[in-house]
Amino acid sequence: MKGGSFVALTDSVTVLPGVGPKRESALADLGITTIESLLTHFPFRYQDLRVKALNEIADQEQVTLKGIVAAPPTLARFGRKKSRLNFRLLIDQDVIPVTFFNQPWLKDSIEVEAPVMIYGRFDAARKQLNGIKILGNGKADPMASVYPSNAGIRQKTIQQLVTAAWEQYHDQIQNLIPAPIMRHYRLLDRAQMIHDMHFPKTLNAAQAARRTAKFEEFFRFQMQLQLLKRHDQTQAGTAINFDNSKLQAFIQTLPYELTDAQKRVVNEICADMKRPHRMNRLLQGDVGSGKTVVAAICMYAAITAGFQAALMAPTEILAEQHANNLQALFQDLPVNIVLLTGSTKTAARKQLLPRLADGEVNLIVGTHALIQDGVDYHKLGLVIVDEQHRFGVAQRQALRQKGDQPDVLAMTATPIPRTLAITSYGEMDISIIDELPAGRKPIATRWIKNAQIDSAVQFVLSELAAGHQAYVVTPLIEESEAVDMKNAQAIYERFSAYFAPHYQVGLLHGRMKNDEKDNVMSAFKDNQYQVLVATTVIEVGVDVKNATVMMIYDADHFGLAQLHQLRGRVGRSDQQSYCLLIADPKNKNGVDRMRVMTETNDGFVVSQKDLELRGAGDVFGKKQSGLPEFKVGDPIADITMLSVAQDEAKKLTETPHWQQDPDNASLVAYLKQAESNAYMFD
Ligand code: ADP
Ligand code: MG
């Protein structure tokens, strides 16, 4: 293995020309730190720059035309900024008029009788081209990759870096998938896959590469699950002998009666904790079904048995909310709760860690700060991971490694069918809360066209007048964070002006610092803001009972699961709540999603419809709640492949001495190195 294969690809991106501290941090925001992560930062779409024959082009299609400039260009200017550049392009027998608006400088690059390639929008009726850019003389790449990017780094820079990384490192790329599996499923070599993902000659080549990329991603994921499972099986777990009478007494103090479903899952989980094996259980329950109190009961059970419990949430807002709720629930009990997040001050942290290590603290709530080095536990018996799909396998594992074989309960708010749960979560046991607390009124959901938006705003106003609060959500557009912020900002300004001086409006977006976010969120909770304008950062778990309206802009940009999650932020009390979907969907799928939302409130029905509506159209979509997030693959659309990858991973890990087989060396090196799970190897 030349250069130790994987080792070279773990080089930092800073070895590439032009990557200084600023770019390094912009890249890190995109999850790119190493050459490997850069080379697997795949385009999410391709701009098709292929040259088409004139009669193949649809009206208003963006295409590349190649021809000869037939006569000198003419430039007309209107005022200071506007101009029109015209010339004629000879393509075989046809003469096509080409117009460039407001790019007068292009005049000099148009040479009479020279060949030229132009990318633009075609008017089929008039047979003319509205130019967008000149691609040169025919040597340009036929397809341009479009990458996920952010405000700190431009498309073009990413393209250049990928190209540079490819040039320097392509001969270091080794196959990760064992050869027999590659042959059986006709997968491409890893180097070819990476090449064709970034620089495909045709769309077909890109698709073939994507198929291999998906399989590899799924296979790596399933290998991790299998290793985790096999590791668990070799370890004895802890029997948590909780004090049932204390538990019953605690349940009596709750301000409400548990639903039958909550009682059932509490019994399942507690029985599992009592057994001397290692619990690994998934708790599914629709938004608002009351998972938090179930978590509280189970954590208290562990505490009565002399153990510590930890609750890990994906965001600081959520961790803080959990800590506050638990504080209230446990106020009269000998439970010492602390909160540990990325923004916990050093002094507080220094003071808290020893109390955790000596067992004085018996319940800790936090973000992934809980799994950092230096956070040591006295006797950790139960780990609960909230909205667990937000965490990678590696993070879930890291928390399990803390303490002495703690039991693990993972919670998720998106009900997913059992087959999907098994392929996505390995062999976890599953508990389901399939009932909402009594007295909830179904949320009334309306679909409103943009033209009627005033009526929606009027409606929000009437709810505010009734003393209630409202969320206003704008979608994230992956291509550019800058655009998102502008959207949210513009809407925030409009609403502020409209509702002033009676109602206050807050703004929450992903680019804000954590403590800024927390401030805004707690001001909303305290009703200092009556309206909260937000990008999807509020999607997860936030609980403000007085909020009765969820207004969602461009609702057709969201998937069903996400819409359902967002809607679940209201309807948390006995007040009638409303969800207003503002959308002019551009296709049938979008219309169908709006219909499903207006027709049902049931998370299981929504998730079933989600399955039905997904498919070929969504190849590049990858955000769905309740399931692990993959970069390329989609666990719903590609469920068959995910399940095949699972079978293969299972077979491989069951093969004696598979880790010593030289054919698997790159895979083993990869798994050991990339995912901080070296401890699982013999
Ligand atoms: P989720 O399952 O979405 O995490 P939460 O745990 O946040 O839901 O619960 C939603 C709301 O329902 C909370 O305000 C909680 O206090 C309340 N709740 C939970 N269980 C019950 C119950 N059995 N009866 C009435 N209200 C409940
Ligand atoms: Mg929750």
Side-chain angles (χ1 to χ4, degrees), residues 285-292 318 321-322 386-387 411-413 540-543 569 572:
D286 207 346
V287 272
S289 62
K291 292 183 293 295
T292 313
L318 202 52
Q321 177 180 292
H322 278 314
D386 192 18
E387 310 293 350
M411 305 201 292
T412 175
V540 170
V542 174
D543 190 32
R569 297 306 116 217
R572 308 199 134 233

Side-chain angles (χ1 to χ4, degrees), residues 212-357:
T212 294
K214 276 183 194 172
F215 191 93
E216 185 191 295
E217 187 176 35
F218 286 158
F219 183 71
R220 285 188 332 229
F221 172 77
Q222 296 293 359
M223 282 301 292
Q224 287 184 285
L225 288 187
Q226 290 304 317
L227 289 171
L228 189 61
K229 187 181 150 221
R230 296 177 74 79
H231 177 75
D232 280 356
Q233 284 167 348
T234 63
Q235 317 257 318
T238 325
I240 298 184
N241 286 304
F242 56 88
D243 183 330
N244 197 33
S245 58
K246 280 187 185 162
L247 212 57
Q248 293 309 324
F250 169 57
I251 292 172
Q252 291 307 314
T253 66
L254 294 174
Y256 41 74
E257 166 111 20
L258 292 182
T259 62
D260 288 345
Q262 283 171 318
K263 287 180 195 162
R264 189 188 68 243
V265 300
V266 165
N267 284 336
E268 286 169 8
I269 298 164
C270 285
D272 206 358
M273 282 164 50
K274 210 165 193 168
R275 282 197 284 273
H277 79 151
R278 189 164 191 186
M279 176 169 86
N280 188 13
R281 188 170 279 274
L282 181 68
L283 175 60
Q284 286 196 29
D286 207 346
V287 272
S289 62
K291 292 183 293 295
T292 313
V293 70
V294 169
I297 294 168
C298 299
M299 290 192 288
Y300 184 57
I303 291 167
T304 67
F307 288 94
Q308 292 172 304
L311 173 59
M312 182 162 79
T315 62
E316 299 204 357
I317 293 176
L318 202 52
E320 202 165 295
Q321 177 180 292
H322 278 314
N324 291 337
N325 287 344
L326 293 170
Q327 205 87 52
L329 283 171
F330 292 132
Q331 58 184 347
D332 300 325
L333 295 169
V335 178
N336 288 324
I337 305 177
V338 294
L339 175 69
L340 179 64
T341 68
S343 43
T344 304
K345 298 268 180 327
T346 316
R349 196 184 138 91
K350 264 206 182 115
Q351 196 248 338
L352 158 178
L353 291 179
R355 295 171 56 219
L356 185 65

